Structure formats: structure tokens, C-alpha cells
Amino acid sequence: RHSPDGVDENLLIFFHGAGDTHIPFDNLGRKMELPQTAILSLSASMTISRNGDHEYSTTTGNHSSRSKSSSFVELPFGLGYTWFEEMDYESTGTTLGSDHPRRLKSLGNALEAINLLICSLAGKCREDDVATQHGENNEDIAKSDDLWIPERIFLFGFSAGACLAMEMCRMWSFKRRTPLGGAICISGGIKTRDLPLTAKENYVSSDERQKQHPLTDVLIIAGSNDVEYPPNEAMESRKFYSSSNVKVHVQKGKGHEMIKSRVEMQVIMEFLSKRLARRMVSMEGLKGCVPK
């Protein structure tokens, strides 16, 4: 969806929670009316191809785990889709531990798919950034292909979507890429000290694993009454990621839910206002404005 002012200088990508859809987040993006910012609300029902193109599935079923109709996970009993396995949907219905192999493998698969999508939006679909190596900078790539440079791509996720967004920022850094513009995580974040092994093996060579590139700034909004992702887990996410790159806001009286207060929205808007790029459209095309 294009920016309301017609200038798509930035891009804000939304990730919903388990069982939800992209629609409420698309509505939220429209209501935010961010200047010069296009929005892309993703659904876990989509299929992402190797070149980053995506399409949405309209099928539902009573199976679970890795979905045949999407790149992510289909919940049982027609309950919708999610990004990765957080529970044993196939038998016991119990929550998988943060370091459970199934959870980590599923999360790694989701990261691979989202990485392809973001790379396609930033003009970086190859494992090595060949264009940059040949002296072509991010601005040139974005301009030539009508794409966005990484610094102008922002992520916004809720619950499982928040975990995926923050993990994506961490993987992006391990790939030694220019940081994204920022990430907003509502009631969720990374839950392990290390990047999921599948993603790490696929995107980081063994001699590069300890050489982390600058990280994307992250805002976490946690609820004081949230039992699924309590404030102490938010602080753990901050420590696992980088304390200097993460701001944690704990909202009093908030449970495991999306933003619903003016205070939370003010915190989000303040975070974005310091990072969104603004193009001086009124000055473009005027002769003599740029000194030689």
C-alpha cells in the first residue's frame, strides 16, 4: 500500500501473530499515516519463491507443521497460519521450549523465506553483495530498481511476528549487511542467545560467525501483566541481541495483546520519527538549489 502522501521513501513491513491475518495490521498501517512510508502487511499463508516473489494461499485444512500451501506453518482445525512452530501442533498441543529443535528448525525456515522477500525489496538477492563489491552503493541499487535501501525498511511484529522480526534483524547483521531502519516488537522478541542453527549455517561462513555487523535498532513493547512474554523475557531479549540497540518499554496493565493505548503509540511514533527518512519533494526539480 502506497504512502498517503504519494512518496514511498520508506517501507514498513508488518508481521501478525499466530492464527491472525494481515488485514488488521494493514488497517493499523493506514491509521498511522506515516509520512513518505509505504506499508506491506504480510500473511503467514503466503508462499515465497526463490526470487522473493510472494502470493497468498486461500486453502485451509486440518493439518499442521510446514504447510504445503504456504512457506510457513498451517495451524490445525482451520485456525489459520503462523510463522513458525511454537507448539507441538501435531500431537500433544504443548508449548515447545525456546531451544527445542523443532521450534528452531521451523524458525530458521521462516527466516530464510523472509530473508528472500526483504532481499528482493532491497535489491540484495544474492549471497554475496556483488553490486556493492563493484562500487555500486545502496542508493544506486534502490534508485535503479525502484526499491528501498535497507536503512529505509522497517519491521513491525506482534507476538510470534515480533520474534520473527527481531530474529530477522539479528540474521541480517550476521550476514554483515547494512542495518535495517528499525524494528518494533509488540509482546515478543528473540528467545535464544544464538541465531537458529539452520539460518546461521545458511548465511554465515564458519570464520565469520563471531564477526557481527552493526545491528538494527529495536523497540520492544512488553506488558506488565503479560504471562506469555513477561517483562523479564523482554529484558532477556535485549541482552541476547544487544543492550545498546534495544529499547524496552513496559506498559503498565498490558497483557499479551497488540497496542491499544495512546502511550504505546506515542512511544512507537517517537522511535520512528528519529529514523524515518524524509525527502524534500518540494525542492526537487528546482534549479540552483544544490551548490556546485
Side-chain angles (χ1 to χ4, degrees), residues 26-273:
D26 180 67
N27 292 334
L28 172 62
R30 286 192 294 105
K31 291 178 181 178
M32 291 173 74
E33 295 186 331
L34 296 171
Q36 299 189 5
T37 303
I39 59 172
L40 175 60
S41 185
L42 301 178
S43 170
S45 68
M46 67 183 176
T47 299
I48 299 177
S49 65
R50 292 298 300 175
N51 64 0
D53 291 338
H54 59 284
E55 60 183 25
Y56 292 101
S57 168
T58 57
T59 63
T60 58
N62 59 2
H63 60 284
S64 65
S65 191
R66 188 73 180 268
S67 173
K68 295 179 180 179
S69 56
S70 87
S71 295
F72 304 100
V73 175
E74 186 171 358
L75 298 173
F77 312 116
L79 293 176
Y81 294 82
T82 189
W83 304 105
F84 57 92
E85 292 187 72
E86 296 180 281
M87 300 178 66
D88 181 2
Y89 301 118
E90 297 177 351
S91 54
T92 66
T94 57
T95 301
L96 299 176
S98 298
D99 57 354
H100 193 286
R102 270 178 57 188
R103 178 185 182 276
L104 294 179
K105 181 179 180 181
S106 178
L107 178 55
N109 290 335
L111 286 169
E112 291 180 33
I114 296 301
N115 176 69
L116 286 172
L117 176 64
I118 296 180
C119 281
S120 72
L121 295 169
K124 290 175 173 287
C125 286
R126 287 160 290 186
E127 276 305 286
D128 56 337
D129 298 329
V130 177
T132 302
Q133 291 175 6
H134 286 283
E136 191 174 357
N137 62 32
N138 288 333
E139 292 276 3
D140 293 331
I141 296 171
K143 187 180 296 184
S144 61
D145 293 322
D146 194 25
L147 303 170
W148 288 269
I149 60 174
E151 303 97 303
R152 296 177 189 172
I153 296 177
F154 296 79
L155 310 181
F156 187 119
F158 167 66
S159 193
C163 177
L164 181 61
M166 195 169 180
E167 286 284 14
M168 186 67 242
C169 294
R170 180 159 63 171
M171 194 185 81
W172 196 264
S173 173
F174 268 96
K175 180 57 186 168
R176 299 179 64 78
R177 294 181 177 135
T178 303
L180 300 173
I184 299 166
C185 300
I186 311 297
S187 301
I190 59 176
K191 294 188 175 183
T192 56
R193 184 174 300 279
D194 297 316
L195 191 70
L197 187 58
T198 51
K200 185 182 291 188
E201 287 181 336
N202 286 338
Y203 293 98
V204 189
S205 61
S206 58
D207 60 341
E208 291 290 326
R209 290 183 181 178
Q210 302 303 320
K211 300 178 182 178
Q212 204 165 348
H213 206 58
L215 285 155
T216 299
D217 289 338
V218 175
L219 168 65
I220 297 177
I221 294 185
S224 63
N225 296 343
D226 190 341
V227 295
E228 294 184 41
Y229 185 73
N232 65 299
E233 287 196 20
M235 298 309 296
E236 282 285 288
S237 296
R238 181 173 182 262
K239 184 173 66 175
F240 291 157
Y241 189 81
S242 170
S243 296
S244 60
N245 291 93
V246 179
K247 176 182 178 181
V248 176
H249 171 80
V250 178
Q251 184 64 32
K252 185 177 180 180
K254 178 182 178 66
H256 194 75
E257 56 195 344
M258 261 295 287
I259 53 173
K260 63 177 186 179
S261 70
R262 181 182 297 272
V263 173
E264 292 170 275
M265 185 56 76
Q266 287 176 339
V267 172
I268 291 170
M269 289 302 194
E270 180 182 356
F271 177 83
L272 290 172
S273 67

